[in-house]
Amino acid sequence: MADATEETGDLVLTDRLPVLALPEVVLFPHVVLPLAIEAPEQIALVDEVLQGDKLLAVAALKPDRAADEPQGDDAPFYEAGTLAQIVRMMKLPDESVRMLVQGRSRIRLEQPIKHGDFWLAEVREIPITRAEGVRMEALRRSVSDLFREIVGLSPALPDEVGPLVDALDDPAKLADFVAANLGFDVEAKQELLAEGDVARRLERITELLAKELEILRARADIQNRVQERMGKSQREYVLREQMREIQDELGEGQGGEAAQLRAELEAAEMTDEARAQAEKELARLERMGSQSAEYGVVRTYIDTLLSLPWKKESEAEVNLPRAREILDRDHYGLEKIKERIIEYLAVRKLNPHVQGPILCFVGPPGVGKTSLGRSVAEAMGRVFARISLGGVRDEAEIRGHRRTYVGAMPGRIIQAMRTAGVRNPVFMLDEIDKIGQDFRGDPTSALLEVLDPAQNDTFVDHYLEIPFDLSATVFIATANSLSTIPEPLLDRMEVLHLSAYAPGEKLEVARRYLVPKQMAEHGLQVEQVEITEDALVRLIAEYTREAGVRNLERAVGGLMRKAAVQVVEGRMDPIRITGETLPEYAGPPRFRSEIAGREQEVGVATGLAYTPVGGEILFIEAVRMPGKGRISLTGQLGDVMKESAQAAFSYLRAGGDGLDIDRELFTSTDVHLHVPAGATPKDGPSAGVAMTVALASLLSGRPVRPEIAMTGEITLRGHVLPVGGIREKVIAAERAGIRTVLLPARNEPDVEEIPEEVRDHLDIQFIEHASEAFERALIEEPVLAGALP
C-alpha cells in the first residue's frame, strides 16, 4: 500500500502580492510562459514588481470579466493561481512590454483588493499530496503514453515534445507539463491547477487526454478520408495530364477535340437530362485514347446529342390570309381539304399549345398529298421535314438501334428532327400505308407512341436512351389506301380524302402549274413555245390515264424536250403545239375510249371500280354452256366479289328478276362469269349490280346497252345498297366515254362531290332495285337463240 505524504510550501499568509490577471491563460508551476503586456495598468504592475523581488501572482480571468471591472467584492479572476517570477523583461519603443515568467508553485488568492490600477491579494500555497507506489507509476505511464500518442496525432504539437515526458520522473511535474502543453479549456486547466492531490490530478488528466485522443483520432480519420479523395483526384489529374502530353507527342491527342466538345456543350440549349448524359459521355471520352475501339462510338453519340434541337423552335406566327394564298397558289381545287387545313391553322393560332389532330392525307398517287404538307409548313412558317416509310420493315428504323450494335444510329424520326434543326417542324410521314413487318418487329407499333399526343412528349429513341419531346411537332401522314393501316394507328389520325382529278381539273393544273414549271426546267421562254388548250385536252384524254397528274407532267415534259431540240437547231419562229399537231410531238395516242366501237352484246355489262390509284371501269363477261346449273367465277376475284356473284345468280334463279327467264336454263346449263385483267386481284361488293345485269342479259338473251355503266351492292332480294368511291368511279366513267351511270339511290348525296363539268357530260340515274337496272340497261328485244354465247 502506498504511503501518502503532504508537502507545504514556505510561503504562508504574507503581505499582499500584485495579481496579473490574464484572459484564457493558466500558468502551471515549473512552466516558462512568454507574455506580451500592452495595457497601461498591467505595465504599471510589472514596474512595481521589478522594484521588489520580482514575484507576482498570475491568475486567469473568469469568463466575460475584465481585469479592471470588479463586481461588488468579487474579484474578476479565479481564486487558484500561480506564484510566478519574472525571468526576463524587455520594453519596446511603443512602451509595451515583452517578458518571460516562470511558475513556481500553486497558490490560493485570498482577500483581493483593488490597488490603483491593479489588484493585490494575500497568497497561500496549496498543499501538495503525493502517493508513492504502483498506482502512481501506472498513472504516470498512462499519462505519458497518452500524451505521446496525442503528440503523434496533433498538428499543434511538435514531435520534439513527445520524448520530453520520458525525462520527467516526477508525476507532479509531468502533470503540469502535459496540462500546460495541451489545449484544454480554461475551466479544465483551473480544475487541475487547484487540485493539490497529484494522484487525482493525474486521473483527471488521464480522462482529459482520453477525450482529446478520441477527438484527434476522429479528426485524423476524417482528414485521411479527405486526403485520400483529394489524393485520388490529384493523382487522376496528374496522370491525365501526363497521358495527354504523351498522346500529343504521338500525334494522338484529343485534348483539343474534347475541349471543343465541352465548349459546344456549354453553349448548347439542352434539357437537364440530355446535358447530364452528354457530360457523362464526355467524361468517358476524355479518359479514353483515340485508338480505343469505343472512341468513335462515344464521339458520334456526343455529336448526336449536341446536334439535336432540344429546345430550339420556329417562332413564325400563323397568318390565315397568307395561308389561304399559299394553298391556292400551290394547289388547284381541293376546296374541302384546304378548308380543313385553314380550320386547323385557326385553332393553332388561338391556342399554340393545343395538341391538335394528326392529319392523314389519303388519295391516289400524284394528287398532291406531299406538296400539301409543304404548303402547310410554309403557311405555318415552320420547317418542313419528311421521311418515307415505304418498305420499312424493321422497328429499329423508327426507334433507332441500341448503341451495343456495330453501326448503331438513331431512328428516322430523330434523324429527321436533327436535320430540321427545330423541335416543332411540320413532319410528314410519307407512304404510311406501305410499312411492312417481319421477325425484326412491327414499325407501326413504334409509330403508335410517335403519333399519340399523350405520349410523344417523352419519346425514347433506343440510340439516345433519353426522352425527346415531340409534342410540339405537327405530324401529317400520307397514304394511298387505308386498308393496310392497322386499326390502332388509324384511330390516332384524322383522315382527309384527296380524290382523283377530273379532266377539267387536270387541264387547270396543267395550265397553271405544269406547263410553266416544265418550260422553266427546260430553259424555254413563253414566247418560244405555246401549248394550246385543245392540245392539253387531247394530251389528258389520249396520252394519260391516271388519277393524279404525274404522267401528265411527264407528257408535258416530253413536249418541251421536242421543242427544245427545235430551238437549239435554230428555229426562230414560235413553236405552237395544237390538238392537230400534238401527235408530231407526243407520238400516236396511247388510249382511246374504251366503249368506242363497241356493239350491243349479250352477257357483257360495264361496272365501276375504285382502286388506290383512282376509279376504273371493268367489264363483266358471262357465257353459258350445257351443264347442270353450276356457276364458275374467274378473274382472280376476292371472297366478297365471289359472294356477290353467287348472290346475283341466286336472286335470278329464285325468279326475282321479272324477265321471264326459262327455268330449265338453271338446271340444264352451266354459267361462267369472268372479269378481265385476270392478273389483277379484285374484290369488293360494288360490282354486284353489274354482275346481276350481265347474268340477266345472258339468261334472258337481251343485250346490255354499251354506253351504260353501273355500280352498287346487290342483295338476295335484289335491293341495291350504297358503295364508296362514287366520285372516282364517275370520273372514270366519263373518262372512258360512258354516257349514263346507274348509282344506288342512297349514294345521291355523294354526287355533290363530283365536279360539275363531269356531271354535265353524264346522265346520272339512281336505282333502288335490280329490276330498275334491268329496265334501263337491257335492250327490250332479245337476240336470236343462235346468237347467244
Side-chain angles (χ1 to χ4, degrees):
M1 184 173 181
D3 296 328
T5 62
E6 181 176 336
E7 298 179 359
T8 59
D10 57 357
L11 186 66
V12 294
L13 201 59
T14 68
D15 294 338
R16 300 178 185 275
L17 287 178
V19 179
L20 180 60
L22 300 174
E24 299 184 356
V25 174
V26 178
L27 177 63
F28 286 91
H30 314 294
V31 174
V32 177
L33 182 67
L35 295 176
I37 306 299
E38 297 178 352
E41 62 274 12
Q42 292 182 339
I43 294 174
L45 182 150
V46 171
D47 290 340
E48 183 163 331
V49 168
L50 291 175
Q51 295 176 5
D53 54 6
K54 300 183 181 179
L55 294 178
L56 73 161
V58 177
L61 280 175
K62 294 179 180 179
D64 303 325
R65 297 290 297 276
D68 58 347
E69 294 181 1
Q71 295 183 357
D73 296 331
D74 185 18
F77 45 81
Y78 287 97
E79 183 179 356
T82 305
L83 179 63
Q85 184 177 14
I86 298 177
V87 177
R88 183 179 300 173
M89 190 277 292
M90 178 177 63
K91 275 196 175 184
L92 300 178
D94 60 355
E95 299 299 326
S96 63
V97 173
R98 300 291 186 269
M99 65 181 183
L100 294 177
V101 296
Q102 181 178 13
R104 295 182 59 181
S105 62
R106 285 173 168 78
I107 59 175
R108 197 173 304 280
L109 305 177
E110 299 177 350
Q111 298 180 8
I113 61 173
K114 189 76 171 176
H115 176 67
D117 293 333
F118 53 88
W119 288 83
L120 296 176
E122 296 179 354
V123 299
R124 180 182 294 276
E125 282 192 341
I126 297 175
I128 304 301
T129 304
R130 299 174 181 271
E132 302 294 339
V134 175
R135 185 169 181 273
M136 181 63 74
E137 180 63 20
L139 287 171
R140 187 190 70 80
R141 293 185 181 182
S142 177
V143 170
S144 298
D145 294 341
L146 289 173
F147 182 75
R148 280 195 300 270
E149 190 171 354
I150 288 175
V151 170
L153 293 175
S154 176
L157 295 174
D159 294 338
E160 295 80 4
V161 177
L164 294 178
V165 296
D166 296 332
L168 295 175
D169 295 332
D170 186 353
K173 291 183 178 180
L174 173 65
D176 291 342
F177 178 81
V178 171
N181 283 282
L182 288 181
F184 301 145
D185 58 42
V186 175
E187 292 289 341
K189 288 187 174 184
Q190 278 298 134
E191 181 185 353
L192 295 173
L193 183 63
E195 181 58 64
D197 191 322
V198 177
R200 284 202 293 270
R201 197 187 310 163
L202 289 173
E203 289 176 355
R204 179 58 179 155
I205 288 180
T206 304
E207 295 176 2
L208 294 173
L209 288 177
K211 181 179 179 182
E212 184 71 13
L213 183 60
E214 184 179 353
I215 294 173
L216 289 174
R217 284 173 177 170
R219 177 182 175 184
D221 183 55
I222 294 172
Q223 288 180 338
N224 288 337
R225 289 201 298 268
V226 172
Q227 190 67 26
E228 182 180 353
R229 286 197 294 268
M230 292 180 62
K232 182 179 180 181
S233 299
Q234 185 70 13
R235 180 173 177 271
E236 289 180 354
Y237 172 77
V238 172
L239 291 175
R240 194 174 295 115
E241 289 299 320
Q242 291 177 348
M243 183 174 65
R244 185 175 291 113
E245 291 296 329
I246 293 172
Q247 290 173 339
D248 289 341
E249 287 294 327
L250 295 174
E252 299 176 352
Q254 75 272 14
E257 189 174 45
Q260 180 183 355
L261 288 174
R262 187 165 293 281
E264 293 178 8
L265 177 59
E266 294 294 333
E269 294 184 3
M270 307 175 72
T271 61
D272 294 340
E273 197 166 358
R275 185 174 298 278
Q277 184 74 0
E279 290 278 3
K280 176 183 174 183
E281 294 298 324
L282 184 55
R284 285 186 59 203
L285 186 72
E286 291 173 339
R287 291 194 298 268
M288 66 175 61
S290 59
Q291 72 281 359
S292 172
E294 289 191 38
Y295 182 83
V297 176
V298 176
R299 171 63 197 268
T300 303
Y301 179 71
I302 295 174
D303 283 339
T304 301
L305 291 179
L306 293 176
S307 62
L308 285 174
W310 298 95
K311 295 183 178 180
K312 185 179 179 181
E313 294 186 355
S314 302
E315 298 181 357
E317 186 177 355
V318 174
N319 186 325
L320 288 187
R322 172 170 167 75
R324 290 183 186 274
E325 178 185 345
I326 292 172
L327 292 174
D328 290 338
R329 179 197 69 194
D330 296 342
H331 299 85
Y332 176 78
L334 307 176
E335 297 303 328
K336 288 190 176 181
I337 302 298
K338 291 179 182 178
E339 191 60 32
R340 180 63 185 89
I341 292 174
I342 292 297
E343 293 171 0
Y344 179 81
L345 297 180
V347 174
R348 280 276 181 175
K349 183 175 179 64
L350 295 176
N351 185 1
H353 303 291
V354 67
Q355 296 292 344
I358 310 297
L359 301 181
C360 180
F361 297 152
V362 179
V367 296
K369 299 184 293 297
T370 303
S371 59
L372 260 180
R374 294 183 185 275
S375 299
V376 171
E378 185 180 354
M380 296 181 70
R382 296 196 183 188
V383 178
F384 180 74
R386 171 187 170 274
I387 62 172
S388 177
L389 299 176
V392 172
R393 308 179 67 85
D394 189 353
E395 180 254 358
E397 292 281 345
I398 305 298
R399 284 192 174 275
H401 302 80
R402 300 190 185 277
R403 283 186 290 151
T404 53
Y405 296 104
V406 176
M409 63 180 65
R412 295 195 180 191
I413 301 294
I414 295 298
Q415 290 187 43
M417 296 298 291
R418 179 171 60 180
T419 303
V422 292
R423 61 182 289 267
N424 64 337
V426 173
F427 200 121
M428 174 156 284
L429 303 172
D430 220 356
E431 312 293 352
I432 198 171
D433 59 325
K434 297 175 180 62
I435 297 180
Q437 57 179 326
D438 59 14
F439 64 92
R440 291 169 291 186
D442 183 5
T444 58
S445 298
L447 284 176
L448 294 178
E449 180 184 3
V450 175
L451 298 181
D452 191 342
Q455 302 180 43
N456 63 11
D457 58 334
T458 55
F459 173 71
V460 178
D461 186 276
H462 288 161
Y463 182 80
L464 298 182
E465 295 181 336
I466 51 177
F468 188 89
D469 188 359
L470 296 174
S471 60
T473 303
V474 177
F475 286 101
I476 298 177
T478 70
N480 297 128
S481 173
L482 299 178
S483 59
T484 57
I485 302 178
E487 193 64 32
L489 185 60
L490 189 61
D491 183 62
R492 283 165 165 77
M493 301 185 292
E494 178 181 343
V495 177
L496 300 180
H497 289 277
L498 279 74
S499 302
Y501 284 113
E505 293 174 332
K506 289 184 179 181
L507 177 61
E508 288 297 324
V509 171
R511 289 173 53 193
R512 297 188 184 189
Y513 308 109
L514 302 185
V515 172
K517 176 183 176 183
Q518 290 299 318
M519 190 175 294
E521 288 185 358
H522 289 80
L524 297 171
Q525 304 299 322
V526 176
E527 58 272 11
Q528 292 177 309
V529 181
E530 178 190 359
I531 303 178
T532 63
E533 182 173 326
D534 60 330
L536 290 175
V537 170
R538 188 175 180 187
L539 194 68
I540 293 170
E542 299 181 11
Y543 290 85
T544 63
R545 183 64 57 86
E546 59 177 343
V549 292
R550 285 203 180 113
N551 287 330
L552 177 59
E553 183 174 7
R554 294 189 189 101
V556 173
L559 300 182
M560 296 300 173
R561 288 193 297 273
K562 295 290 187 182
V565 171
Q566 295 183 12
V567 171
V568 172
E569 289 179 345
R571 180 169 176 173
M572 302 301 296
D573 58 309
I575 301 171
R576 191 168 187 269
I577 303 175
T578 65
E580 294 180 0
T581 62
L582 182 63
E584 300 176 12
Y585 295 88
R590 297 175 54 194
F591 303 99
R592 65 181 182 88
S593 173
E594 296 187 36
I595 65 168
R598 287 193 58 192
E599 299 179 353
Q600 302 172 356
E601 294 184 73
V602 174
V604 179
T606 305
L608 298 175
Y610 174 76
T611 69
V613 296
E616 295 289 343
I617 69 168
L618 51 84
F619 298 105
I620 312 295
E621 300 177 347
V623 295
R624 60 186 175 89
M625 70 255 349
K628 298 182 179 180
R630 293 188 295 267
I631 182 172
S632 300
L633 306 173
T634 58
Q636 204 171 163
L637 309 183
D639 292 339
V640 176
M641 205 166 185
K642 289 179 179 179
E643 291 173 358
S644 296
Q646 293 284 358
F649 190 67
S650 297
Y651 163 70
L652 295 173
R653 191 170 186 174
D657 51 86
L659 299 176
D660 298 328
I661 297 175
D662 186 358
R663 298 294 100 189
E664 293 184 2
L665 292 176
F666 292 102
T667 57
S668 61
T669 60
D670 288 341
V671 174
H672 184 176
L673 189 143
H674 176 71
V675 181
T680 304
K682 311 169 191 70
D683 203 2
S686 61
V689 171
M691 289 180 172
T692 305
V693 171
L695 291 173
S697 170
L698 174 68
L699 297 174
S700 66
R702 296 170 59 179
V704 182
R705 301 181 190 276
E707 72 278 7
I708 293 181
M710 59 207 76
T711 185
E713 181 180 352
I714 194 73
T715 70
L716 279 175
R717 299 187 179 276
H719 296 290
V720 179
L721 302 183
V723 291
I726 294 298
R727 185 182 192 274
E728 288 77 9
K729 292 176 180 178
V730 174
I731 291 176
E734 193 269 344
R735 183 176 64 225
I738 298 294
R739 293 291 173 261
T740 303
V741 176
L742 304 182
L743 300 179
R746 289 165 61 180
N747 280 119
E748 186 172 358
D750 297 326
V751 175
E752 296 298 325
E753 298 181 4
I754 302 173
E756 186 174 354
E757 57 176 291
V758 175
R759 284 181 286 170
D760 292 343
H761 293 165
L762 293 174
D763 177 17
I764 300 176
Q765 302 180 13
F766 301 98
I767 57 175
E768 295 183 347
H769 196 270
S771 58
E772 300 177 47
F774 301 153
E775 180 182 346
R776 302 176 189 185
L778 297 180
I779 297 175
E780 293 295 333
E781 297 81 9
V783 299
L784 298 175
L788 292 176

